[in-house]
Amino acid sequence: MYPLLDTINLPFQLRELEQKKLPQFAKELRGFLIDSVAKTGGHLSSNLGTVELTIALHYVFNTPHDQLVWDVGHQTYAHKILTGRRNGMNKLRMQDGLAGFPRRDESEYDAFGTAHSSTSISAALGMAVAAQLNRTDRRAIAIIGDGAMSAGMAFEALNNAGVMDANLLVILNDNDMSISRPVGALNNYLAKLMSGRFYATARRAGEKVLGVVPTMLELAKRAEEHVKGMVSPSTLFEEFGFNYIGPIDGHDLDVLVTTLRNIKQLDGPQFLHVVTRKGAGYKVAEEDPILYHGVGKFDPKKGIVAKANGKPTYTQIFGDWLCDMAAQDSRLIGVTPAMREGSGLVRFSQEYPERYFDVGIAEQHAVTFAAGAACDGLKPVVAIYSTFLQRAYDQLIHDVAIQNLPVIFAIDRAGLVGADGPTHAGSFDLTYLRCIPNLTVMAPADENECRQMLYTAFKLDTPTAVRYPRGTGAGVQVQKDMQALPIGRGEIRRQGEKIALLAFGSMLTPCLAAGDELNATVVNMRFIKPLDDDLVASLAASHGLLVTVEENTVMGGAGSAVIESLSSQQIQVRLLQLGLPDIFIEHGDHAQMLADCGLDSGGIIKSVRAVLPE
């Protein structure tokens, strides 16, 4: 089925292939990718768009001696297949299987671990400087998308690299689409660059790379078709100190190979602009690259078939609340760092476009932008993943909390996130949030409580955070009416004896099941900050063992808050903390991951019985 692909398992074998056979090899690799992801799920559009670029890089450069750093890394499936991991693709993103992103401990060909945006140029520059100091001929190549190029960190790295003479190659993979459609001045600039009619002159290095400059008539035709051989004069990237080359067609292997071979002979910082199509070679993915960005299992012949709606996800609960709240209060604005679809803002962006702000892949800017809006009477709601809020921690403290501004943080993907693994897990937010003065922190136990907590947060005039997990909850009916919860007050959901399970957020459901088996009192704590000190004291007085349960790291988390509460009240009682261990938890099935951490009902029962007297 794949006669060429079956003969090549490592890049050195690829480099032995005749160049004229590369297009056929690309066709087979693309077919294998579609069939493979259809069986396992994963990222598809981005990987289909980089098939030819991946082949050309491994064909021209001496990997792994030469180092490839893939920005974000969700486009590296072809890279994994070409670097000895084809047989492992059947367990992609599964427990004990391949990661969905580059991992240094997975392969020597993964030069740098990535999964968050806009880190590649910094890392590759560090590698280029190391090669220079070590006096080796190793090349460092960063491959970054146009969406990731909008982030401040990428420009910090460009600014630094441009004043060095290190041999760094930055490849801009320009497909005009990140996860959400890219926004901002840079994206507009690139669009103009692509659609304009370029001059027939080029700088000497550009001529050396691309060869004879085409005639003006041919150049105009190529500019209109967005294909190979286009040359531009001085650009933004040359102002940073790079030698700019391109744009070229990222699906034309002859052009890619020739251009990369010529660049390989040049010294100093080089910038290659490559134009690709997400979903290339698979019609349905080309037509809807957002739908095919991250997919579950599907039939590759039929494509993704829409399923009937089941239980609403927490993300949908948030999106519906945002629209309902916006209808009630014109001060509300929605802010997202390039995660409109993932954070549930599609409907809001359509119904309230003038109050919807996608600031691009710029988490720091998103938080401070919201703080500025709050200064002048608006009520910003920042929709952000737990793992991405980590990138704006200083802004959260310095720009929001110190000034006590009414910014609401709707924190999605709290806790473990299954197949996306440790880079995307929201394992730390309770720990890093609860230590910040002025900040109220809530964790809903079910869908309806999520809606009511978001309303509660909006009604406060101080910084607030509502953290909720990925996927669906317990299936509790969501009430249309909204009522503010009493601040810092938990509720007893089951009355028992001797043992009290203090559940935070999503852990209420397994705690209720465990409570039935243990005849334990089960408490929905609701608030991590302020903690319900009175309830903690009452439980300690009437129970011999308190057990805190959270889907957050145990270190510094909600359980630690309970210990601090007991200490400040000078109360002594036996206490057991259950939560995520002090390790990075690998990708896999979410339910199995919780079970492995002892956070399902069976695990809770086992842990409690282990500390009870005989």
Side-chain angles (χ1 to χ4, degrees), residues 268-328:
Q270 309 294 323
F271 193 100
L272 175 62
H273 185 172
V274 174
V275 181
T276 62
R277 296 186 311 280
K278 275 202 170 184
Y282 187 41
K283 185 178 180 181
V284 291
E286 287 188 41
E287 293 173 348
D288 195 344
I290 293 178
L291 177 64
Y292 284 84
H293 170 73
V295 299
K297 298 177 183 179
F298 67 98
D299 184 336
K301 294 180 180 179
K302 297 179 180 178
I304 296 174
V305 179
K307 297 180 180 179
N309 290 330
K311 294 190 298 184
T313 64
Y314 279 101
T315 303
Q316 291 170 323
I317 299 296
F318 164 73
D320 290 341
W321 169 82
L322 192 66
C323 292
D324 294 344
M325 198 70 240
Q328 292 187 20

Side-chain angles (χ1 to χ4, degrees), residues 14-347:
L14 174 68
R15 292 190 278 271
E16 294 173 355
L17 200 64
E18 292 181 85
Q19 185 172 332
K20 66 181 181 181
K21 293 183 178 180
L22 292 182
Q24 177 60 32
F25 182 77
K27 183 178 179 181
E28 292 182 21
L29 179 55
R30 180 169 278 110
F32 179 85
L33 260 177
I34 295 169
D35 290 339
S36 177
V37 176
K39 293 182 178 73
T40 64
H43 294 99
L44 186 59
S45 298
S46 54
N47 283 289
L48 293 176
T50 55
V51 168
E52 287 81 7
L53 179 58
T54 303
I55 292 170
L57 285 167
H58 282 292
Y59 192 71
V60 171
F61 290 97
N62 183 28
T63 55
H65 177 72
D66 293 330
Q67 297 171 299
L68 305 180
V69 181
W70 298 88
D71 210 283
V72 182
H74 61 339
Q75 76 281 44
T76 54
Y77 294 1
H79 164 78
K80 287 176 182 278
I81 293 165
L82 290 178
T83 53
R85 288 170 277 182
R86 178 157 56 105
N87 291 337
M89 290 296 289
N90 62 345
K91 290 197 69 178
L92 179 73
R93 293 161 36 102
M94 300 177 190
Q95 193 166 27
D96 300 323
L98 296 178
F101 302 95
R103 290 278 299 266
R104 279 171 51 84
D105 58 1
E106 187 177 282
S107 171
E108 63 178 332
Y109 290 90
D110 291 357
F112 196 76
T114 55
H116 289 190
S117 159
S118 314
T119 63
S120 61
I121 303 175
S122 298
L125 177 59
M127 294 171 183
V129 168
Q132 191 176 51
L133 293 175
N134 292 330
R135 292 179 171 82
T136 69
D137 62 351
R138 170 176 276 179
R139 309 291 295 206
I141 302 102
I143 305 99
I144 184 169
D146 53 306
M149 186 62 81
S150 69
M153 185 175 178
F155 281 89
E156 292 173 14
L158 286 173
N159 185 54
N160 188 205
V163 297
M164 297 185 179
D165 60 355
N167 292 329
L168 171 69
L169 170 59
V170 176
I171 298 177
L172 172 61
N173 174 31
D174 181 5
N175 52 46
D176 198 37
M177 201 206 86
S178 52
I179 298 175
S180 297
R181 185 167 295 279
V183 295
L186 175 62
N187 188 68
N188 292 335
Y189 172 82
L190 292 177
K192 290 177 183 177
L193 189 68
M194 286 304 304
S195 60
R197 296 172 181 263
F198 296 101
Y199 294 97
T201 58
R203 297 183 65 163
R204 293 176 185 173
E207 292 178 1
K208 179 179 179 181
V209 170
L210 292 174
V212 179
V213 179
T215 65
M216 196 66 181
L217 179 63
E218 184 181 5
L219 186 62
K221 179 181 178 182
R222 289 177 176 178
E224 290 174 348
E225 296 176 354
H226 296 178
V227 291
K228 67 181 181 180
M230 296 183 290
V231 185
S232 70
S234 179
T235 68
L236 170 67
F237 305 106
E238 289 180 326
E239 296 301 321
F240 275 107
F242 281 76
N243 175 44
Y244 173 87
I245 301 147
I248 64 171
D249 184 355
H251 299 294
D252 188 322
L253 276 161
D254 286 338
V255 170
L256 280 169
V257 169
T258 301
T259 303
L260 289 172
R261 278 177 173 162
N262 288 331
I263 289 176
K264 192 176 178 180
Q265 307 307 312
L266 301 178
D267 294 327
Q270 309 294 323
F271 193 100
L272 175 62
H273 185 172
V274 174
V275 181
T276 62
R277 296 186 311 280
K278 275 202 170 184
Y282 187 41
K283 185 178 180 181
V284 291
E286 287 188 41
E287 293 173 348
D288 195 344
I290 293 178
L291 177 64
Y292 284 84
H293 170 73
V295 299
K297 298 177 183 179
F298 67 98
D299 184 336
K301 294 180 180 179
K302 297 179 180 178
I304 296 174
V305 179
K307 297 180 180 179
N309 290 330
K311 294 190 298 184
T313 64
Y314 279 101
T315 303
Q316 291 170 323
I317 299 296
F318 164 73
D320 290 341
W321 169 82
L322 192 66
C323 292
D324 294 344
M325 198 70 240
Q328 292 187 20
D329 196 320
S330 61
R331 297 175 299 163
L332 183 150
I333 63 170
V335 182
T336 178
M339 293 300 295
R340 183 184 72 154
E341 289 77 19
S343 292
L345 277 81
V346 173
R347 180 185 156 204

Side-chain angles (χ1 to χ4, degrees), residues 400-533:
V400 176
I402 288 178
Q403 303 186 94
N404 205 24
L405 293 170
V407 177
I408 299 96
F409 293 91
I411 304 174
D412 204 334
R413 270 55 167 190
L416 300 177
V417 291
D420 282 337
T423 56
H424 284 62
S427 304
F428 311 108
D429 54 72
L430 293 186
T431 300
Y432 71 68
L433 290 174
R434 74 175 194 85
C435 63
I436 302 175
N438 293 334
L439 184 65
T440 299
V441 184
M442 298 176 252
D446 57 47
E447 298 91 333
N448 182 58
E449 196 165 75
C450 184
R451 179 176 172 87
Q452 307 310 325
M453 281 187 176
L454 289 164
Y455 179 76
T456 303
F458 190 82
K459 286 300 181 180
L460 294 176
D461 275 331
T462 53
T464 56
V466 180
R467 60 102 73 171
Y468 44 90
R470 182 179 191 170
T472 58
V476 173
Q477 183 68 34
V478 178
Q479 299 171 4
K480 186 70 175 176
D481 293 339
M482 293 183 282
Q483 294 182 340
L485 301 175
I487 303 300
R489 288 290 177 261
E491 59 168 0
I492 295 176
R493 293 290 292 270
R494 184 190 189 280
Q495 189 64 57
E497 298 177 351
K498 298 181 181 179
I499 304 163
L501 304 179
L502 283 64
F504 292 88
S506 60
M507 290 292 96
L508 179 63
T509 298
C511 280
L512 285 170
D516 288 340
E517 179 72 21
L518 297 167
N519 190 23
T521 295
V522 180
V523 184
N524 176 19
M525 292 300 294
R526 288 181 166 170
F527 289 83
I528 294 84
K529 186 176 185 180
L531 193 72
D532 194 337
D533 294 320

